Amino acid sequence: MANLIDRYLAQVGEVLPAKERADVLAELRSLIQDQLEDRYPAPYTPENIASVLKELGSPSQIARSYQPEQYLISPKLYPTMSLIIRHGWILMLILVLAWRIFIGLIATEETFFFNWALETVEAILLMGSFFSVVIVAVFALIERLNISLEAPFDPFQLSEVTDPRAVNRVETTFAIAFGTVIVLGLFYLLATDGVSFGQSPELIQASKEWLALLAISGAIMVALGLFVIRRNRWDISTWVLQVSTEVFAQVCLYFALLSPLFQYVLIPHPTIGTFPLIEQGAVIILFLMSASTLFNGILKLIKLLS
Amino acid sequence: MTDVHEELNKLRLELRRGMIVLAVLSQLRIAQYGYSLIQLLSQKGFEIEEGTLYPLLRRLEKQGLLVSEWETSESHPRKYYRISPAGQTVLDTLSQEWRDTVSIMASLLGEENNG
């Protein structure tokens, strides 16, 4: 008799928190004994005990009833996380496909299309999985720390329909999530082999100093994104910081990746190296990126000042 | 029809969920152990499962609405619960709100039946 009840309680106890285990199990044992006394004459057969235990429910079921509802990601955060992951997969697909096509075009050795396609699918799955894991981890951390992504609602603080201070929450949340993945990727590269350009054995290592500055700029933009989403508005100081950090990040990107990519990979390439303006390519890209950022930045700054 | 039946069961559970705390607190002016409380509530027409009641008793105790002590002089040890002063205050407040709600619902349902 004791064996069946002991076995039941032992399995319940495995799932209970340690500090409550003894008391809960003692109470359950008392309940089982009350039910046996109420329904059956002593001595109790294994069938009597089994009947009582079956009515109580499985050990995992009864243990679960003692535990509060817990979420890795609560229903409050789940829709936002789900949206980011869906958009992220689409973006990863586009970026990895573009990168793989680019690599295929500049490759000096012929590659079978099937092998290229297989490696592309593998890269998409790898990057998409890494992105998903990071996003889930970030949101799980937000959940555990009970961080609110929303300030208390004040109707008078609602932005005007065309208010330049308005924060596009979906866009900003996505930028935060994507930026986190990029920053983590950069820190990983810094911690390992970094980035190399050119053909073996004449590989050129990208500047780790500029990579580090790029990673730090990214981290600043992620932190700033979290700050403005909490406040639910831009102001002059946050906008100036955003634009200047973005331009600085573009300069770091130029020195860390763009310039060496053009210098050691694209310009020496027998086909791509003959394209017009290829030698100024890196500078042109930097100019276009920075000009676009500064133009939009100044436009919005004018609206914020007026 | 199965969907309606399932939905009805879910709504029935939601309706009961709020009542269970009030029902339990109302019967613990005199100390009871879990099984005796189940039988007492059942005699008065309120059915509740062990898997629902026992965790609830622990939760209410953690919230300070109940106090408990183990009684070891009987055939086997039993954990007795009774309402605390804080629990009594909560019970008084919830009871009044319940009466007000019942009155409002009676009016609403009366309008529904007549309308």
Side-chain angles (χ1 to χ4, degrees):
Chain A
M1 163 183 156
N3 194 28
L4 199 51
I5 297 177
D6 290 340
R7 280 155 57 191
Y8 182 83
L9 293 178
Q11 290 210 3
V12 173
E14 275 174 15
V15 192
L16 293 173
K19 62 179 180 176
E20 295 186 342
R21 192 175 296 141
D23 196 67
V24 169
L25 293 184
E27 199 171 14
L28 280 175
R29 185 182 292 277
S30 175
L31 165 64
I32 294 167
Q33 285 165 334
D34 282 330
Q35 288 182 318
L36 285 168
E37 280 176 14
D38 192 39
R39 295 175 197 185
Y40 306 108
Y44 310 116
T45 66
E47 289 71 29
N48 297 154
I49 297 166
S51 169
V52 165
L53 294 182
K54 203 166 168 64
E55 195 180 306
L56 262 184
S58 68
S60 59
Q61 199 178 329
I62 200 85
R64 259 199 317 274
S65 67
Y66 279 93
Q67 288 160 358
E69 269 185 340
Q70 291 177 312
Y71 295 101
L72 180 65
I73 314 287
S74 69
K76 197 171 123 189
L77 291 177
Y78 185 82
T80 306
M81 185 199 74
S82 180
L83 183 73
I84 289 171
I85 288 180
R86 279 202 309 274
H87 283 79
W89 269 91
I90 295 169
L91 192 61
M92 287 293 158
L93 178 72
I94 295 168
L95 287 176
V96 172
L97 202 55
W99 177 251
R100 291 289 302 161
I101 291 171
F102 174 70
I103 292 291
L105 285 173
I106 66 169
T108 50
E109 291 171 10
E110 273 192 30
T111 311
F112 285 120
F113 176 74
F114 179 76
N115 290 344
W116 176 88
L118 209 59
E119 286 168 10
T120 301
V121 168
E122 190 187 340
I124 291 169
L125 291 175
L126 201 64
M127 287 304 297
S129 302
F130 174 68
F131 177 78
S132 302
V133 163
V134 169
I135 297 308
V136 170
V138 165
F139 272 84
L141 191 62
I142 291 172
E143 184 70 49
R144 290 287 86 75
L145 296 177
N146 208 21
I147 296 171
S148 171
L149 295 180
E150 292 185 4
F153 175 56
D154 178 0
F156 293 109
Q157 292 293 323
L158 284 169
S159 305
E160 296 293 336
V161 175
T162 55
D163 189 349
R165 297 173 308 159
V167 175
N168 185 320
R169 299 186 72 81
V170 173
E171 207 175 276
T172 307
T173 307
F174 186 78
I176 290 167
F178 196 70
T180 304
V181 173
I182 297 295
V183 168
L184 287 174
L186 286 171
F187 279 124
Y188 173 75
L189 286 172
L190 283 167
T192 54
D193 297 331
V195 180
S196 305
F197 298 94
Q199 302 276 350
S200 183
E202 296 167 357
L203 285 174
I204 308 294
Q205 189 93 41
S207 164
K208 283 203 168 184
E209 288 78 19
W210 283 110
L211 265 182
L213 286 172
L214 180 59
I216 291 168
S217 315
I220 291 172
M221 286 194 283
V222 166
L224 188 59
L226 285 168
F227 180 71
V228 295
I229 215 170
R230 182 90 171 81
R231 289 176 83 212
N232 201 29
R233 67 178 188 278
W234 289 100
D235 59 25
I236 293 167
S237 53
T238 49
W239 185 245
V240 167
L241 182 60
Q242 166 73 16
V243 173
S244 48
T245 310
E246 206 171 314
V247 171
F248 181 70
Q250 287 159 357
V251 171
C252 296
L253 183 69
Y254 168 81
F255 283 108
L257 298 171
L258 281 178
S259 178
L261 175 68
F262 273 79
Q263 189 179 350
Y264 300 111
V265 178
L266 297 179
I267 294 171
H269 192 275
T271 307
I272 297 177
T274 61
F275 288 177
L277 298 176
I278 190 66
E279 293 195 6
Q280 295 82 27
V283 174
I284 292 171
I285 291 175
L286 172 64
F287 174 74
L288 288 173
M289 284 194 303
S290 305
S292 168
T293 303
L294 284 169
F295 179 71
N296 288 319
I298 290 169
L299 267 183
K300 186 154 173 163
L301 188 61
I302 292 169
K303 288 178 189 169
L304 284 168
L305 286 167
S306 61
Chain B
M1 282 304 290
T2 307
D3 287 340
V4 171
H5 186 68
E6 279 175 20
E7 279 307 311
L8 184 57
N9 278 337
K10 283 183 199 168
L11 292 169
R12 194 178 278 136
L13 278 172
E14 277 185 38
L15 191 61
R16 268 181 62 91
R17 205 169 282 144
M19 293 191 278
I20 289 174
V21 171
L22 190 52
V24 165
L25 288 176
S26 70
Q27 301 305 301
L28 288 176
R29 288 192 181 91
I30 297 170
Q32 303 279 344
Y33 57 95
Y35 194 63
S36 70
L37 183 57
I38 288 175
Q39 291 179 314
L40 180 61
L41 287 168
S42 178
Q43 282 164 16
K44 297 186 178 182
F46 195 95
E47 300 295 336
I48 183 169
E49 291 180 357
E50 296 87 354
T52 304
L53 177 67
Y54 278 75
L56 176 62
L57 289 172
R58 293 189 74 82
R59 181 164 64 86
L60 293 175
E61 187 184 7
K62 277 185 197 169
Q63 290 170 346
L65 305 184
L66 300 178
V67 291
S68 70
E69 58 181 355
W70 280 96
E71 178 57 60
T72 53
S73 63
E74 299 169 347
S75 59
H76 57 264
R78 289 189 173 109
K79 190 173 184 182
Y80 279 79
Y81 293 88
R82 62 179 169 77
I83 197 164
S84 69
Q88 187 62 55
T89 306
V90 167
L91 174 61
D92 293 341
T93 308
L94 286 182
S95 299
Q96 185 54 51
E97 286 185 16
W98 172 259
R99 289 185 205 98
D100 295 341
T101 303
V102 166
S103 173
I104 292 167
M105 287 308 299
S107 166
L108 287 171
L109 293 172
E111 282 171 22
E112 169 69 18
N113 288 336
N114 291 337

